Amino acid sequence: MMKILAVTNDQYPVPELAKMIASIQSYVDYIHIREKSKTAGEIATLLTFLQQANVDFRKIVLNDRLDLALLFGINNVHLPGHGLPVQLVKQAFPQLTVGCSVHSLEEAQMVEQAGADYVLYGNCYETTCKPGKPANGLKLLSEIAQTLKIPVYGIGGITQENVGLVSAAGAKGIAMMSGIFAAKDPVKDARNFYDKWR
C-alpha cells in the first residue's frame, strides 16, 4: 500500500502550522517536520501545540532533530545526508525508526548497511522547492528500489499526474512538500492523494 508523507515547507508561523498539521493528519501516513529556520524552542512549541490538538505522534517524523524526538517521545527521525551518522543513532537508540535522504545508489546502499529503516530519494522531478536543480529521474529510483531491501520513498515534484509513474518505478511511498503545504487547500489536496492511492 502506497505511503503518503507530508513534508512541512518552513513557511508558516508555529500556530498556523500546528493547525495545518492537525487538519491533514487523517489523510497522510507521516508528517515530516522539516523547519530549518525555526529554533529548537519554536519546534518544541509546535510539538506542544500538536499534543494539545491530539495529533497522533506515531505519524510525526522530526527532520534532523534527534534531541527533540527524544524529549517528546517521538520514535521517527529523518536524517539529511549531511546529518548525524545513521549507524551512531541506531546504535544509541535502537528503538527509533531512522530514515535518510539519498541522491544516488551508493548513498542508499551505505545508509542501508548503516541500519537505516528507509530512504527518501529525490528529487524525482524538477521542483519549486529546489529551483534550478535538475531532476534525478525515475530510472535511478527504480534501480535503488530494486537493489535495497528497505523501503524507498520518492520526493520532488510529485503530483496527481505523475504519482503513478513514481509508484511503478518501485517507490513504497511518496513525499510531498509543495503539493500539500503550498496548496491553496492543503486538506483537499491531501484528501485527493489519499482517495486515489489509499
Side-chain angles (χ1 to χ4, degrees), residues 50-68:
L50 296 181
Q51 284 179 323
Q52 294 169 350
N54 295 316
V55 170
D56 186 354
F57 269 22
R58 291 173 297 182
K59 290 189 172 188
I60 297 297
V61 182
L62 283 179
N63 191 295
D64 204 22
R65 293 310 310 230
L66 174 63
D67 52 349
L68 290 169

Side-chain angles (χ1 to χ4, degrees), residues 81-150:
H82 60 270
L84 293 169
V86 173
Q87 187 171 356
L88 292 182
V89 175
K90 289 295 288 187
Q91 286 175 347
F93 308 103
Q95 77 278 13
L96 296 181
T97 297
V98 178
C100 193
S101 296
V102 299
H103 306 90
S104 69
L105 176 60
E106 292 74 21
E107 279 185 299
Q109 289 175 308
M110 283 176 57
V111 298
E112 180 182 46
Q113 291 170 3
D117 296 290
Y118 70 89
V119 297
L120 186 58
Y121 161 82
N123 47 312
C124 293
Y125 297 94
E126 289 188 14
T127 171
T128 55
C129 297
K130 294 184 177 180
K133 185 174 182 179
N136 288 331
L138 299 186
K139 182 178 180 182
L140 182 54
L141 169 62
S142 179
E143 188 177 355
I144 293 172
Q146 290 176 24
T147 304
L148 270 57
K149 294 183 174 66
I150 58 176

Side-chain angles (χ1 to χ4, degrees), residues 12 20 23-24 27 178-193:
Y12 299 97
M20 293 176 72
S23 69
I24 67 169
Y27 304 110
S178 299
I180 291 180
F181 283 97
K184 290 182 180 179
D185 188 341
V187 176
K188 180 181 177 181
D189 280 38
R191 187 191 298 122
N192 286 342
F193 274 101

Side-chain angles (χ1 to χ4, degrees), residues 37-53:
S37 72
K38 288 183 173 58
T39 65
E42 288 173 318
I43 298 175
T45 299
L46 171 64
L47 294 171
T48 300
F49 284 168
L50 296 181
Q51 284 179 323
Q52 294 169 350

